[in-house]
Amino acid sequence: MYFRFLKNKDFILYIIGSTVTFIGDEMLIFSLALYMLKLTGLASTYATVVAIGALPPLILGPIAGSIVDIFNKKMIVIGLDLLRGILLITMALKTLLWQASVVDIYVIVLAIAVCDSFYIPAHASIIPSILEDNELNTGNTVNSITTQVSMIIAPTIAALTYGLFGIWLIFLIDAITFLIVVVSMIFVKLKPGVKIKSKSGFLSKIIEGFKMYKDKEILSISLNGMFTHMLVLPIFIIGFPYLIKDVFEGADLTFAAVQTVGSLGPLLTIITVPLVGKFYKELKALNLCMVGMLLSIATIFLLRNTALFTVLKGNNTWILAFFAPVIFLFEACLSTYLVFYTSFNQRKVDPQLLGRFYSLLIMLFGLGRIIGSKLYGALFDLNIIFYPVMAACIGIVFKLLLNLMITPNKSLARALKE
């Protein structure tokens, strides 16, 4: 099943571009966490970086989606990759000559996030234009696996590069990955979409996007994603760098090793997706994955044990032994969740509305990241592990309850059976 995708040139080019750019992006995210903690020593400062990155999609989401649905998605992706490459090359030159300040980091993160507001919905809409409907689950699984391979490679490369050369080379490498994507996307051919003639103006197109939320399934699945970014992911994005580096005084390479082990978890999707998909439709599969995520997060409560805390303090081997399995289980469940989540969205939403759907979804994600990053930054600065872990567990339970409240409508149920 998976090997037949090797014959699809357009899909392979898309995957190559996605893989390369994920390596660069993950290197930058990893290095920014180390850099900001080095500058300030506060979890809340890096949390502000995360919040700033989430702000533009929150503001530009409705406009971005309408633009993506109107214009050529492939050209949008190519143009924005060029622009982001230029921005990062500029930042690399600046940080090579002068140390980047906190404000410098805020500015470049904000600029990249503005580009991402248009890039992400355009890029996310491309897979349905390459693959057939019955290939989406497998195609999204392949995309997930290659993404995670990138995340396996990125932390170690980033830790070594950042340690030897500094943040400037990380910016340059990320810039080069965007330029590689430009070249790969030039040769990708998309299926011609069905053109829907509409006399509605730009404002009407924006309103059409919001009308999608009249559908209870779209509303529920979108809110579910928002709470993932608000209450679940921050425990790892904000908390793990802070806990490993500042609380337990782990080395940069130990943090990189933890991230790498975590990135191995999603490779299990090649097994978990077809296995879970054999017995469950998308919504029930999502519930099963969320239970797994809840178990992994609840394990962090063990850090309240004084004896374990003492053993971990300054001991890189034990830090790796504790944190790596936790993030491995979480990432394995999350990546399986995301495959079904993405396939559900791609089947549910009309292809002509995908740009608007994804931009509004990203807007909700951005709102969740802004609230979540500031919340968890403040909670971790209290140096009481119980509160952020409890917040994450409550988030998973809330997501489960939200998902259990909906059932597939008749038209969607028939489509899934087909």
Side-chain angles (χ1 to χ4, degrees):
M1 183 186 301
Y2 292 102
F3 288 110
R4 72 179 180 182
F5 284 87
L6 294 175
K7 299 179 181 179
N8 189 328
K9 176 181 69 69
D10 299 313
F11 184 70
I12 292 299
L13 288 171
Y14 174 88
I15 289 297
I16 289 173
S18 297
T19 303
V20 169
T21 194
F22 260 104
I23 292 175
D25 288 346
E26 288 301 311
M27 287 179 64
L28 184 59
I29 291 170
F30 177 91
S31 301
L32 283 178
L34 296 180
Y35 189 79
M36 296 303 286
L37 286 172
K38 179 182 177 182
L39 282 180
T40 66
L42 296 173
S44 54
T45 306
Y46 181 60
T48 300
V49 173
V50 176
I52 288 174
L55 187 60
L58 180 62
I59 298 172
L60 299 173
I63 299 173
S66 297
I67 290 175
V68 166
D69 281 335
I70 292 172
F71 295 101
N72 187 301
K73 295 177 176 63
K74 176 179 170 179
M75 297 311 297
I76 291 174
V77 168
I78 291 173
L80 289 174
D81 276 327
L82 279 172
L83 179 56
R84 292 192 295 179
I86 293 170
L87 288 171
L88 288 168
I89 288 173
T90 303
M91 192 65 181
L93 292 173
K94 186 180 188 303
T95 51
L96 177 62
L97 300 173
W98 302 282
Q99 176 175 294
S101 66
V102 172
V103 175
D104 291 331
I105 300 301
Y106 289 166
V107 170
I108 189 61
V109 168
L110 182 64
I112 295 296
V114 170
C115 294
D116 284 348
S117 301
F118 298 87
Y119 179 88
I120 294 175
H123 194 261
S125 303
I126 286 178
I127 282 188
S129 297
I130 297 176
L131 303 178
E132 300 300 327
D133 185 72
N134 62 357
E135 297 176 322
L136 288 177
N137 263 356
T138 306
N140 287 320
T141 301
V142 173
N143 190 36
S144 173
I145 291 171
T146 55
T147 296
Q148 299 309 319
V149 169
S150 305
M151 296 176 70
I152 293 169
I153 297 170
T156 303
I157 298 175
L160 293 172
T161 305
Y162 174 78
L164 293 173
F165 301 100
I167 195 75
W168 74 270
L169 188 55
I170 301 293
F171 282 121
L172 181 59
I173 291 173
D174 199 18
I176 293 171
T177 65
F178 285 127
L179 301 180
I180 292 174
V181 175
V182 170
V183 175
S184 69
M185 283 302 299
I186 287 174
F187 297 99
V188 172
K189 294 180 181 179
L190 305 182
K191 294 185 301 185
V194 178
K195 300 295 182 182
I196 299 177
K197 294 182 179 180
S198 175
K199 296 181 180 179
S200 59
F202 188 74
L203 180 60
S204 298
K205 291 184 182 297
I206 294 176
I207 294 173
E208 285 175 4
F210 282 104
K211 285 182 178 179
M212 285 187 291
Y213 290 113
K214 289 182 178 179
D215 186 300
K216 65 177 183 179
E217 294 169 29
I218 290 180
L219 177 61
S220 177
I221 207 74
S222 298
L223 291 176
N224 210 303
M226 183 183 76
F227 287 115
T228 299
H229 288 268
M230 181 189 298
L231 296 173
V232 181
L233 293 182
I235 192 78
F236 297 95
I237 296 173
I238 306 298
F240 269 39
Y242 179 70
L243 289 172
I244 294 171
K245 289 291 301 170
D246 282 30
V247 175
F248 293 106
E249 300 174 358
D252 289 352
L253 283 175
T254 302
F255 177 48
V258 170
Q259 295 292 91
T260 299
V261 172
S263 299
L264 291 171
L267 296 180
L268 293 179
T269 53
I270 197 170
I271 299 172
T272 57
V273 169
L275 182 62
V276 174
K278 182 178 180 180
F279 298 100
Y280 301 102
K281 298 300 184 183
E282 274 96 342
L283 292 176
K284 289 186 177 180
L286 294 176
N287 295 337
L288 181 64
C289 295
M290 284 189 277
V291 171
M293 287 189 275
L294 178 61
L295 292 175
S296 66
I297 293 172
T299 305
I300 307 175
F301 275 121
L302 294 174
L303 293 176
R304 299 184 66 213
N305 182 279
T306 305
L308 178 61
F309 192 99
T310 303
V311 168
L312 291 175
K313 188 78 170 182
N315 190 318
N316 287 297
T317 301
W318 280 104
I319 290 173
L320 179 62
F322 178 83
F323 285 97
V326 173
I327 197 170
F328 177 87
L329 175 60
F330 177 81
E331 291 289 351
C333 296
L334 176 65
S335 59
T336 305
Y337 171 95
L338 290 176
V339 170
F340 289 107
Y341 185 90
T342 303
S343 297
F344 179 91
N345 294 337
Q346 290 169 343
R347 286 195 179 99
K348 177 70 181 177
V349 181
D350 189 298
Q352 300 301 315
L353 294 171
L354 271 177
R356 274 165 281 186
F357 170 76
Y358 276 119
S359 64
L360 291 174
L361 191 65
I362 293 163
M363 182 181 72
L364 291 175
F365 290 175
L367 177 62
R369 280 196 297 271
I370 290 172
I371 297 172
S373 60
K374 300 307 292 182
L375 171 65
Y376 278 80
L379 290 176
F380 276 109
D381 281 348
L382 292 175
N383 289 321
I384 301 175
I385 293 173
F386 175 82
Y387 295 128
V389 179
M390 178 56 71
C393 290
I394 291 172
I396 291 287
V397 171
F398 191 81
K399 279 166 55 64
L400 272 167
L401 293 175
L402 183 65
N403 217 35
L404 290 170
M405 288 172 63
I406 68 167
T407 54
N409 60 35
K410 292 182 180 179
S411 61
L412 181 62
R414 282 198 296 269
L416 288 175
K417 288 179 181 178
E418 295 172 359

